[in-house]
Amino acid sequence: MLLPAAKVPIASIADLKDIPQPPPVSYMPQTAGWWVLGGLILLGLLVFSLLKWRKWMRNRYRREAQAELAAIEDALVDPARRADAMASIPALVKRTVLAWAPRQPVAPMSGDAWLRYLDGTYAQGGFVQGPGRTLDRLAYGDGAIGNDELASLMALLHRWIDHHVRA
């Protein structure tokens, strides 16, 4: 004989329960080593930034000289301002050197001694034997130089401003 079957409850979606989620993982470091490493990285970034800032400040005179040289180049195109612009080139070079060199030995220099000094500050030279020798004519002569000589001098001065070292 068969016994009547017991009623089995039917599963329903309403009877489902959510699975409990674990607590979220913290992004904060759990050990002191990570704090030390983070501090060292921040200290390294601070030192690197400070050194870069100091170099940038030390080279401010170079940026100013390059800007003035660019203004001189713009003035050379205008025939009315060309003579004044050519006369200001040697003064710019002297002011650039005086920005970092001691005044007493450098300020009175002129002629070949000045050009030798400039060659001593630039490894590639170009002042005694090269386009830089026209600086003397611009400072003390009639200031008349050809366009090719002027272009060579301006290129040399751009390179010299960027790459000169203390003599």
Side-chain angles (χ1 to χ4, degrees):
M1 136 165 223
L2 284 176
L3 293 170
K7 277 193 157 186
V8 177
I10 299 176
S12 166
I13 291 183
D15 293 337
L16 293 177
K17 294 189 167 85
D18 285 338
I19 298 173
Q21 297 290 324
V25 177
S26 172
Y27 288 112
M28 294 298 291
Q30 298 295 317
T31 60
W34 288 111
W35 287 104
V36 170
L37 180 64
L40 288 174
I41 289 172
L42 286 177
L43 181 65
L45 286 173
L46 180 68
V47 167
F48 177 76
S49 299
L50 181 66
L51 292 175
K52 283 298 212 182
W53 180 77
R54 285 181 59 200
K55 181 179 180 183
W56 187 78
M57 290 302 290
R58 269 194 322 265
N59 286 325
R60 182 179 61 208
Y61 77 96
R62 291 180 197 254
R63 291 188 302 278
E64 291 171 359
Q66 286 287 12
E68 189 171 342
L69 192 60
I72 289 171
E73 284 179 314
D74 291 340
L76 288 171
V77 176
D78 183 10
R81 300 185 314 168
R82 184 175 174 91
D84 290 337
M86 289 178 76
S88 65
I89 293 171
L92 170 65
V93 174
K94 184 74 85 161
R95 279 196 321 273
T96 302
V97 171
L98 289 175
W100 54 266
R103 183 169 293 279
Q104 275 73 2
V106 172
M109 281 188 190
S110 63
D112 287 337
W114 174 240
L115 296 178
R116 281 193 305 275
Y117 181 82
L118 290 175
D119 266 346
T121 64
Y122 187 53
Q124 295 172 348
F127 290 97
V128 174
Q129 300 290 325
R133 69 184 177 277
T134 57
L135 283 174
D136 229 13
R137 282 191 305 191
L138 291 175
Y140 305 110
D142 58 1
I145 61 173
N147 287 336
D148 291 339
E149 288 177 306
L150 186 60
S152 298
L153 175 64
M154 296 307 260
L156 172 67
L157 291 178
H158 277 293
R159 289 190 313 269
W160 174 77
I161 289 171
D162 283 339
H163 302 291
H164 69 267
V165 294
R166 294 175 188 251

